Amino acid sequence: MPDLLLSPTVAWALATGGPWPDPNDFEGDTRYMALALQEGMKGVGLSSPNPPVGCVLVKAGQVIGAGVHTRAGDPHGEIMALRDAEARGVDPKGATAYVTLEPCCHHGRTGPCTMALLQAGIVRVVVGVKDPNPRVDGGGLAILRAQGIVVQEGLLGEACGRFHAPFFKHIRTGLPWVSLKLALGSDGSLGPLGRTTQVTPPEVQRLAHALRRASEAIVVGRHTIEVDDPQLTDRWPAPSAPHRTLARVVMDEAGLVPATARVWIPVAGQPVFRAVTGDPSPLKGVEDLDLPPEGRGCSLRHLLYELAARGVGRVLVEGGATLANGFLTQGLVDEFHRFQSDAPALGPRTELALPATWQLATAARWPSGRWEVWR
């Protein structure tokens, strides 16, 4: 598998579960579904707990509308694509809709997309993957077919299934999607114990912020705060939607992180939480997540349920080997992003309990290392 060349575009693709099919590599239906996936990428980190469904409308071989779901309670991707066609002054009657996920068929905070497509005169619907939500689960496709709409299912199904995997996991388990990120030297080390070590160059660190932008929560351990004193903020260069939220979570079971730590500084749209097991002194502006104890810390599974209850669909775990292995040994990690430098970090080797079934999914290279994605 050849390495990709690391760039902002590649970084965002890897952070959202890619790489994704390039529309320029295809023609016809496949090209339009690849375009729908590109549209869907715009909703990652914004739409949870709903999926960031992308939709493209095509008529007479031309894209007449495109849309994506970007906020729970707002219109879904199909509705946004129909509105886009209207804004362009094009009648969608007779068009084909390419949708990354089966259109919904139930009334929630918005009306069913199946009805909107029927009322707009869409004559054909191409779907990437079926929605496992029990309120849909093939029902949307059945309604469309019953009304005479030509339905094709499974186009770019593997890619669409991978793109919507965080939503599927939440439907199945009630848990958010968990990405683990570590920066390691060529010696497999995070660096000398107790010392801040810059394993990746600043330009790669900036690209790594794509992982934060794709997530709704970031989790670190107490020792990361004590050694590095980070703010844990989202610093991806592209501006974000006003409703975008990134929860900053510190595993501080006994409340030992001092009030002077930079992570407690208020940041608009990026609330901070402290995961505790006892009753430590409160910190102004910090919400405590009171979790049951587990081992030497608190229950990581309960932490994930608490975050899911707050609408978090994607969690990024950063920090050290102890926290990483805590999530790994409990089977709570869905993918591992390893930033591997070509130079040694000159510390103890970090042993990780990666699942035996995981394989290297893809990689992107920079001049002195590469970003690897394991699943």
Side-chain angles (χ1 to χ4, degrees), residues 13-33:
L14 297 184
T16 56
W20 305 112
D22 185 344
N24 296 320
D25 292 339
F26 304 98
E27 296 180 349
D29 286 346
T30 307
R31 176 175 180 271
Y32 298 130
M33 185 59 76

Side-chain angles (χ1 to χ4, degrees), residues 271-297:
V272 62
F273 297 86
R274 183 175 60 167
V276 300
T277 58
D279 189 22
S281 299
L283 288 174
K284 184 178 180 181
V286 178
E287 181 179 346
D288 282 346
L289 303 176
D290 191 7
L291 305 176
E294 185 175 80
R296 296 182 178 179

Side-chain angles (χ1 to χ4, degrees), residues 21-362:
D22 185 344
N24 296 320
D25 292 339
F26 304 98
E27 296 180 349
D29 286 346
T30 307
R31 176 175 180 271
Y32 298 130
M33 185 59 76
L35 286 172
L37 270 171
Q38 283 195 345
E39 196 69 21
M41 289 169 62
K42 300 175 184 177
V44 175
L46 298 172
S47 66
S48 290
N50 291 350
V53 177
C55 177
V56 167
L57 303 178
V58 177
K59 185 174 182 179
Q62 299 293 321
V63 174
I64 63 168
V68 59
H69 182 53
T70 58
R71 186 178 187 178
D74 282 359
H76 293 181
E78 298 93 323
I79 309 300
M80 297 302 292
L82 290 170
R83 290 184 178 181
D84 185 37
E86 180 182 3
R88 300 186 193 197
V90 181
D91 185 354
K93 184 176 182 180
T96 295
Y98 297 84
V99 194
T100 59
L101 184 68
E102 175 185 6
C104 66
C105 55
H106 60 281
H107 287 272
R109 282 186 279 185
T110 61
C113 292
T114 49
M115 183 60 66
L117 293 172
L118 290 169
Q119 291 175 343
I122 300 298
V123 296
R124 180 170 175 251
V125 176
V126 181
V127 173
V129 66
K130 189 167 69 173
D131 187 347
N133 186 337
R135 301 180 71 186
V136 185
D137 196 21
L141 302 181
I143 289 173
L144 293 172
R145 289 187 172 114
Q147 295 298 317
I149 304 299
V150 177
V151 175
Q152 179 181 344
E153 181 185 350
L155 185 63
L156 291 184
E158 185 279 331
C160 290
R162 180 160 34 92
F163 180 68
H164 290 300
F167 172 67
F168 295 169
K169 179 188 178 183
H170 178 71
I171 289 294
R172 293 194 316 269
T173 69
L175 293 171
W177 184 263
V178 178
S179 298
L180 169 64
K181 176 234 172 184
L182 289 174
L184 300 165
S186 59
D187 52 0
S189 168
L190 292 166
L193 295 177
R195 186 191 309 170
T196 299
T197 303
Q198 184 172 301
V199 176
T200 54
E203 60 272 18
V204 175
Q205 292 177 3
R206 287 193 292 270
L207 292 177
H209 274 270
L211 286 165
R212 294 188 184 182
R213 176 56 61 89
S215 306
E216 289 99 24
I218 178 173
V219 180
V220 302
R222 173 172 60 87
H223 292 296
T224 294
I225 301 299
E226 291 174 342
V227 174
D228 297 336
D229 195 24
Q231 275 196 288
L232 302 180
T233 50
D234 174 0
R235 299 194 295 277
W236 185 244
S240 180
H243 71 273
R244 155 85 173 152
T245 300
L246 176 71
R248 299 173 289 156
V249 182
V250 179
M251 309 301 294
D252 187 23
E253 295 82 359
L256 299 179
V257 175
T260 54
R262 294 173 68 234
V263 70
W264 307 134
I265 298 174
V267 178
Q270 301 183 54
V272 62
F273 297 86
R274 183 175 60 167
V276 300
T277 58
D279 189 22
S281 299
L283 288 174
K284 184 178 180 181
V286 178
E287 181 179 346
D288 282 346
L289 303 176
D290 191 7
L291 305 176
E294 185 175 80
R296 296 182 178 179
C298 56
S299 171
L300 299 178
R301 186 175 294 273
H302 279 80
L303 168 67
L304 294 179
Y305 279 123
E306 286 286 341
L307 293 175
R310 288 165 170 78
V312 171
R314 292 173 179 256
V315 173
L316 175 64
V317 177
E318 290 190 6
T322 300
L323 184 63
N325 276 317
F327 276 93
L328 285 168
T329 55
Q330 295 184 47
L332 298 175
V333 179
D334 298 291
E335 62 181 14
F336 173 37
H337 294 262
R338 179 169 68 186
F339 289 77
Q340 186 81 53
S341 172
D342 292 343
L346 303 177
R349 183 174 179 82
T350 300
E351 300 295 341
L352 296 173
L354 297 180
T357 56
W358 277 16
Q359 296 180 340
L360 177 63
T362 189

